[in-house]
Amino acid sequence: MAFSADELRVLRRALAIALHPMPLPDEDVQDCLRLAGAVDEAVGEAGRLRTFLLADLVRYRNALPGSVSGYLELLQDALAGGYDPGPDDLAALRALRHRPVAAALLERCQVLAERSVRARLAGRAVSAKAPAPRSRLLALPGGRAAADAEPERPKAPAEPARPTRPAGRPAPKPSEVFPPRRRPVPPPQQRAAG
């Protein structure tokens, strides 16, 4: 997550106030509330992105063996983001272990899966879901009281309804959406008349 220069200024001021409480002008309170809202929005967006990437990983895994390179790439990205591989991932990697990248990923996933199982057995459940949303910032020390109402924010326009798939039609496979690339055919050789 990256902060702009203005957001860093607000964050620095909020941390200073947290360490040394003092009365705050309303403008500073509003800046802190806007920063808290921006952080909440960024955390929510990261959660939505993670959900999308994991759903994409499942689609590619279901389309194996035709989507091997895409699946291995997505799995590497998911592992870098803290994903715990499941039994389906391990089974898919075992079937693909003749490829060097898949063999290396299989070893890595087995270690991660074993670590995850041990942690669950020890009572420390490891969750692969997005972090819980943090509580809203209601008041700052020396700032406006928690009983004061927040200023009204303009309402976002309603999103148009998205078309839904027919109930009986399954989601398309990656190979249907992204057909394989065809290699260009070289032009036929011209024969010289002699």
Side-chain angles (χ1 to χ4, degrees):
M1 182 181 304
F3 292 104
S4 70
D6 286 337
E7 290 171 335
L8 282 175
R9 179 183 49 80
V10 171
L11 185 59
R12 190 175 294 131
R13 229 179 335 160
L15 290 173
I17 291 166
L19 292 173
H20 305 288
M22 64 178 147
L24 281 177
D26 281 341
E27 181 182 316
D28 288 350
V29 172
Q30 292 300 320
D31 287 344
C32 289
L33 289 172
R34 276 193 293 275
L35 180 61
V39 169
D40 285 340
E41 186 177 326
V43 168
E45 186 64 30
R48 286 189 291 276
L49 178 61
R50 179 179 171 82
T51 301
F52 172 78
L53 291 176
L54 293 180
D56 216 18
L57 180 67
V58 169
R59 280 193 292 275
Y60 273 77
R61 185 177 57 229
N62 290 338
L64 286 173
S67 63
V68 173
S69 61
Y71 171 70
L72 295 177
E73 187 176 317
L74 282 172
L75 183 59
Q76 287 175 338
D77 291 344
L79 292 174
Y83 173 68
D84 280 336
D88 293 338
D89 294 309
L90 294 173
L93 289 172
R94 283 187 192 105
L96 301 169
R97 74 178 126 201
H98 61 281
R99 295 173 173 257
V101 174
L105 275 174
L106 177 60
E107 288 179 27
R108 183 176 172 196
C109 286
Q110 285 174 331
V111 169
L112 291 173
E114 183 179 329
R115 196 178 297 158
S116 176
V117 168
R118 286 182 185 202
R120 273 185 262 143
L121 290 176
R124 294 176 286 138
V126 176
S127 175
K129 303 210 185 284
R134 53 182 195 88
S135 60
R136 297 273 308 149
L137 179 64
L138 298 177
L140 294 173
R144 113 186 136 159
D148 288 347
E150 280 190 357
E152 288 188 33
R153 295 181 182 176
K155 293 183 180 179
E159 291 185 24
R162 294 181 181 171
T164 58
R165 283 190 316 231
R169 185 172 174 215
K173 295 179 183 175
S175 60
E176 295 170 345
V177 177
F178 305 107
R181 293 185 181 143
R182 305 279 185 226
R183 293 188 178 156
V185 179
Q189 297 287 334
Q190 299 278 339
R191 294 189 184 194

